């Protein structure tokens, strides 16, 4: 009888790629959605902020309660790496601990039933037998690990290290292999994608990568996620806009707009330069702009918060996320004077409402337009509705469009169609297929 595996991937899409690497190494196992049936349970954890840490620990403890007696419970990923000594002492429920260096050796670790922490961070490569999850046509491509930025609030460099880019040849080979397997839509990701290649001496590494990907036959659509203001050039913005393959999609977390607070955050860029980049993005035809901001960072006065709110209301982002400041060890903000938690939560809620309205304004602009979409399947809203995504939206994070009229067109999931946007119901667009 085949052994069964239950894997939970928490946190960001970069974690998801690492989870898919582990699935590739464990293909002798049958995947099960029932943890009480699994012989091995793996939780690939996130250790970014308090909420993510709590989710990871809660998930592990819940799975421990559900698992069968002779199973193995494995904790991998960022949280395990960041607090390896403390967790091994305080969580006897876990059978095996492993961090961010051994995804491609998870089969050996499980066979030995021994916790392992390789000092080097695992860097994705073209040779890994990765199992893509969640889509038959879209895949994430990790282009680098680590980060050279020193943001005051972020602990990622303390456990992921400095920037370590893959070679362009390695990335191209992986994409070519995935195209042969039927994938045609790709999202290129890392902690700071606009810095890609700087550790290898490339001046415009991301532009070089874009041009290399454009030469691959079979890549129909692509986008870059997680640009950083001080490493995003006007040339890069232009090159993305000019591409016939890459969507005019700009995901650049700004975190704040107030000059003094940006300096406190060690963001390396001030208000004037940040706005200049954003306005340049906004000037591009069919541009989609996503960002994220932090509410309640130490030093955020009422005046600086109001300045942030006014900017977020006025600029017209297509999407933005709000993070309530989380005070993290091994960051320069950790010992700063902290803002009371109730104020942080209040400010986060205010920004969240602005974000909702910003999204709604963006959706309204799509009314009456014909757009290219891909149909992912039956919608969870209703069996007679189909869930679709415009190709210039990122997978999962930007939402869905519901198709309520196929006009007699035969539909295949994972295929591209043209849709006319006909209605905005609450915060969801409805559309019908066109010939």
């Amino acid at each position: 009888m085949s052994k069964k595996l239950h894997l939970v991937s928490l946190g960001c899409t970069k974690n998801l790629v690492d989870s898919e690497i582990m699935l590739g190494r464990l293909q002798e196992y049958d995947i099960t959605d029932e943890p009480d049936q699994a012989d091995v349970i793996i939780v690939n954890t996130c250790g970014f902020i308090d909420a993510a840490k709590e989710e990871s620990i809660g998930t592990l403890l819940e799975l421990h309660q559900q698992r069968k007696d002779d199973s193995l419970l494995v904790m991998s990923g960022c949280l395990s790496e960041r607090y390896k000594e403390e967790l091994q002492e305080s969580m006897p429920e876990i059978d095996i601990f492993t961090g961010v260096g051994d995804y491609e050796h998870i089969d050996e670790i499980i066979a030995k039933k021994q916790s392992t922490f390789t000092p080097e961070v695992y860097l994705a490569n073209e040779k890994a037998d990765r199992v893509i999850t969640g889509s038959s046509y879209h895949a994430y491509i990790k282009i680098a690990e680590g980060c050279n930025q020193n943001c005051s609030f972020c602990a990622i460099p303390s456990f992921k290290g400095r920037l370590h880019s893959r070679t362009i040849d390695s990335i191209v080979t992986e994409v070519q292999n995935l195209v042969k397997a039927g994938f045609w839509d790709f999202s290129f990701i890392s902690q700071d994608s606009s810095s890609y290649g700087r550790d290898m001496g490339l001046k415009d590494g991301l532009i070089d990568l874009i041009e290399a990907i454009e030469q691959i036959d079979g890549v129909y659509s692509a986008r870059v996620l997680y640009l950083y203001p001080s490493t995003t050039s006007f040339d890069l913005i232009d090159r993305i806009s000019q591409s016939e393959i890459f969507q005019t999609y700009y995901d650049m977390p700004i975190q704040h707009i107030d000059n003094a607070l940006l300096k406190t955050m060690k963001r390396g860029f001030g208000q004037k330069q940040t706005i200049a980049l954003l306005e340049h993005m906004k000037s591009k035809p069919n541009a989609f702009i996503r960002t994220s901001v932090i509410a309640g960072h130490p030093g955020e006065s009422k005046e600086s918060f109001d300045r942030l709110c006014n900017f977020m209301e006025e600029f017209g982002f297509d999407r933005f996320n709000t993070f309530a400041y989380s005070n993290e060890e091994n960051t320069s903000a950790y010992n700063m004077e902290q803002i009371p938690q109730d104020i942080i939560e209040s400010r986060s809620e205010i920004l969240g409402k602005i974000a909702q309205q910003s999204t709604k304004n963006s959706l309204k602009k799509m009314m009456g337009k014909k757009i290219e979409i891909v149909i992912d399947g039956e919608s969870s809203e209703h069996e007679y509705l189909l869930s679709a995504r415009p190709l210039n939206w990122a997978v999962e994070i930007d939402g869905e469009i519901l198709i309520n009229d196929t006009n007699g067109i035969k539909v295949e999931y994972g295929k591209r169609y043209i849709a006319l946007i006909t209605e905005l119901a609450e915060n969801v667009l409805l559309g019908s297929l066109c010939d």
Side-chain angles (χ1 to χ4, degrees):
M1 182 181 295
S2 297
K3 291 185 176 181
K4 294 183 179 180
L5 169 68
H6 180 77
L7 187 147
V8 179
S9 189
L10 301 174
C12 64
T13 52
K14 297 182 288 293
N15 259 20
L16 177 62
V17 173
D18 296 328
S19 295
E20 292 173 344
I21 296 293
M22 290 193 284
L23 288 175
R25 299 297 299 182
L26 298 169
Q27 292 187 58
E28 73 272 20
Y29 287 80
D30 291 332
I31 304 299
T32 178
D33 292 329
E34 305 298 331
D36 60 349
Q37 300 297 313
D39 298 286
V40 174
I41 300 172
I42 301 174
V43 179
N44 196 13
T45 59
C46 177
F48 181 41
I49 57 176
D50 281 342
K53 290 183 270 188
E54 291 170 5
E55 180 186 22
S56 294
I57 296 298
T59 300
L60 283 156
L61 294 177
E62 182 179 349
L63 289 169
H64 172 65
Q65 293 296 323
Q66 297 176 25
R67 65 169 171 153
K68 60 183 185 179
D69 292 340
D70 57 347
S71 64
L72 288 175
L73 180 56
V74 182
M75 181 179 188
S76 71
C78 295
L79 184 63
S80 185
E81 181 73 35
R82 187 176 177 187
Y83 299 103
K84 48 178 159 298
E85 291 85 6
E86 299 96 316
L87 289 168
Q88 288 181 87
E89 290 178 4
S90 63
M91 293 196 71
E93 298 89 351
I94 310 302
D95 299 301
I96 299 172
F97 294 86
T98 185
V100 296
D102 292 287
Y103 299 113
E104 209 167 7
H105 302 292
I106 190 66
D107 51 337
E108 300 167 18
I109 292 170
I110 289 172
K112 294 177 181 177
K113 299 182 182 179
Q114 183 177 346
S115 296
T116 303
F117 289 90
T118 296
E120 293 80 19
V121 177
Y122 174 74
L123 185 65
N125 64 77
E126 74 281 8
K127 298 175 183 177
D129 191 10
R130 176 179 158 205
V131 175
I132 307 297
T133 60
S135 179
S136 61
Y137 66 88
H138 171 268
Y140 292 100
I141 305 295
K142 192 184 286 193
I143 63 175
E145 272 294 358
C147 184
N148 283 351
Q149 310 304 334
N150 297 297
C151 301
S152 62
F153 51 84
C154 183
I156 288 176
S158 69
F159 56 91
K160 278 293 186 88
R162 307 296 282 174
L163 177 69
H164 185 191
S165 303
R166 293 173 63 181
T167 65
I168 289 178
D169 286 345
S170 171
I171 297 168
V172 165
T173 300
E174 181 180 11
V175 173
Q176 288 172 331
N177 290 338
L178 287 169
V179 166
K180 291 175 184 176
F183 293 87
W184 50 264
D185 184 39
F186 299 91
S187 296
F188 293 86
I189 57 174
S190 68
Q191 272 81 26
D192 170 12
S193 294
S194 45
S195 288
Y196 168 76
R198 292 191 173 199
D199 56 315
M200 300 187 298
L202 300 178
K203 180 183 177 183
D204 295 304
L206 193 53
I207 293 177
D208 295 340
L209 177 61
I210 288 170
E211 293 176 348
I213 297 302
E214 287 174 331
Q215 301 305 309
I216 301 175
D217 215 18
V219 177
Y220 185 84
S221 174
R223 64 204 57 76
V224 179
L225 303 184
Y226 319 127
L227 305 176
Y228 189 87
S230 64
T231 56
T232 297
S233 65
F234 289 97
D235 286 344
L236 175 59
I237 294 170
D238 292 342
R239 187 63 185 82
I240 290 173
S241 175
Q242 294 160 3
S243 177
E244 295 184 2
I245 298 296
F246 280 78
Q247 302 293 332
T248 309
Y249 187 100
Y250 303 109
D251 180 0
M252 186 178 77
I254 61 171
Q255 308 307 1
H256 218 280
I257 203 63
D258 179 76
N259 263 326
L261 200 56
L262 286 171
K263 186 175 181 180
T264 300
M265 287 178 162
K266 298 185 177 181
R267 292 292 286 171
F269 240 33
Q271 174 181 330
K272 183 178 179 180
Q273 300 101 314
T274 300
I275 292 176
L277 285 175
L278 291 169
E279 291 290 354
H280 196 62
M281 293 173 182
K282 199 174 184 178
S283 71
K284 302 304 177 185
N286 303 312
F288 188 102
I289 306 176
R290 165 180 275 281
T291 193
S292 65
V293 293
I294 294 174
H297 187 283
E300 184 184 61
S301 64
K302 184 181 183 303
E303 292 75 20
S304 61
F305 176 70
D306 289 344
R307 187 172 293 115
L308 174 63
C309 289
N310 291 337
F311 180 74
M312 301 311 289
E313 285 180 319
E314 294 169 4
F315 181 79
F317 289 98
D318 293 287
R319 303 287 189 277
F320 77 85
N321 290 340
T322 300
F323 291 94
Y325 172 76
S326 175
N327 200 26
E328 298 296 318
E329 312 97 303
N330 300 315
T331 66
S332 59
Y334 185 67
N335 292 316
M336 294 180 185
E337 184 178 351
Q338 303 295 307
I339 292 175
Q341 190 62 36
D342 61 332
I343 294 178
I344 294 176
E345 291 173 1
S346 173
R347 291 179 180 179
S348 181
E349 185 176 343
I350 290 168
L351 283 167
K353 290 178 180 178
I354 296 173
Q356 289 177 353
Q357 187 59 51
S358 185
T359 297
K360 193 163 190 174
N361 294 341
S362 176
L363 296 176
K364 285 179 180 178
K365 293 177 184 177
M366 297 176 67
M367 289 293 297
K369 292 185 177 180
K370 289 184 178 181
I371 60 172
E372 188 172 23
I373 62 166
V374 57
I375 295 182
D376 287 314
E378 186 179 290
S379 170
S380 59
E381 297 289 328
H382 195 282
E383 61 181 316
Y384 294 136
L385 297 173
L386 297 174
S387 176
R389 175 179 62 90
L391 284 184
N392 68 330
W393 289 10
V395 173
E396 294 183 352
I397 60 174
D398 291 327
E400 65 175 348
I401 288 175
L402 300 180
I403 302 299
N404 60 358
D405 187 355
T406 62
N407 282 317
I409 295 172
K410 183 180 178 181
V411 169
E412 293 182 59
Y413 298 157
K415 302 295 183 183
R416 302 183 295 273
Y417 301 88
I418 300 298
L420 173 67
I421 304 303
T422 57
E423 185 180 347
L424 176 60
E426 295 296 330
N427 284 319
V428 179
L429 291 169
L430 299 178
S432 57
L433 297 188
C434 307
D435 290 326

